[in-house]
Structure formats: C-alpha cells, structure tokens
Amino acid sequence: MTGYEMFWPMVAHAVLVFILYALLGWRRRVLVKADRIQPAQFRENHAANEPAESLVVRNSIANQFEIPLLFHVCCIVLYTTQADNLPAVILAWIFVVTRYAHAYVHVTSNNLRYRSPLFALGFAALVCMWGWLGIWLAFS
C-alpha cells in the first residue's frame, strides 16, 4: 500500500455529493422551466413547497452529511493512527459503494425495499471500521 488508499473512498464520496448537487440543480431548472415552481421559492428552502422530484435529491444530499460524517472522521483517524490496513480500506469502499447505490435508489424509485438494506450494509461496514479502530487503539 502507498499510504493514501484510505483517502480514495473519501474522494469518491465527495464526488457523490457533487453529483447530487448537479442533479438537484438540473431537476430544479427543469421544474422552473416547466413553471411548476418559482425560483424565489428556493430562497426560503422550505421543503413543503418543493416538488417531490427535487425534494428527494435535496434529502439525499442531506443524508450525505449525517452518517458519512462519521465515515470521514474514522478514515482520517485510521490513517493518522496507521490502522488503515487492507481490511479497513475494503470496508471504506463498501461504505462508499453502498452510499452510491443508496443515493441512486433514493433519487429514482425511492423504494425502501432496496434502500433500507443498502443503508444497513453501509452502516455495518462503518460500525466495523470504528470497531477496528477501537481494537487498534486498545492493543497498539
């Protein structure tokens, strides 16, 4: 390992956030052009006034700043404590891949039958990352 592998999943997650922001802008632009909403309505940022097509994207963006915050912190601490071995990097990639899949389902069908297991798998990967960090700190 070169020493920077733990940062690539973090970069990949940031790219997901940028993609979602681009999708939000595109969907809002389409809604404004279709005269389904006025641009001024976005100024107040009230979810009650926002059409479902853009609201689900906005909610998906919000999701990227909840549990993933713990992911980014864990990655940085794993790196600084030199606990970023291959299993930790694999778990980080599992987390990020599940975030991509979760976001895709969220902004398309929003079917909880698929979304919930994807969230659970990513959550489990993150718990394992923190568990590994705890073991590393306790026994190093």
Side-chain angles (χ1 to χ4, degrees), residues 8 10 12 22 25 27 33 38 41 52 81 85 87 91 100 124 126 134:
W8 286 112
M10 295 172 69
R27 285 196 179 177
K33 284 184 179 183
Q38 298 301 311
Q41 290 175 272
T81 60
N85 60 0
L91 286 169
Y100 270 84
L126 184 59

Side-chain angles (χ1 to χ4, degrees), residues 70-135:
L70 294 174
F71 166 72
H72 287 277
V73 169
C74 189
C75 286
I76 292 168
V77 177
L78 284 167
Y79 176 78
T80 59
T81 60
Q82 298 180 343
D84 58 335
N85 60 0
L86 185 60
V89 172
I90 290 170
L91 286 169
W93 277 114
I94 291 169
F95 178 81
V96 171
V97 167
T98 61
R99 293 311 297 173
Y100 270 84
H102 179 270
Y104 176 78
V105 171
H106 197 180
V107 301
T108 57
S109 69
N110 201 16
N111 189 334
L112 290 177
R113 180 181 202 184
Y114 302 112
R115 211 174 106 201
S116 293
L118 289 167
F119 177 85
L121 180 59
F123 183 82
L126 184 59
V127 168
C128 290
M129 287 174 66
W130 279 98
W132 167 242
L133 177 61
I135 291 168

Side-chain angles (χ1 to χ4, degrees), residues 28 36-37 41-42 44-56 58-59:
R28 283 180 169 177
R36 293 194 45 211
I37 195 162
Q41 290 175 272
F42 297 122
E44 298 298 320
N45 210 19
H46 294 295
N49 299 332
E50 189 158 358
E53 296 91 350
S54 60
L55 181 60
V56 294
R58 193 175 113 189
N59 290 342

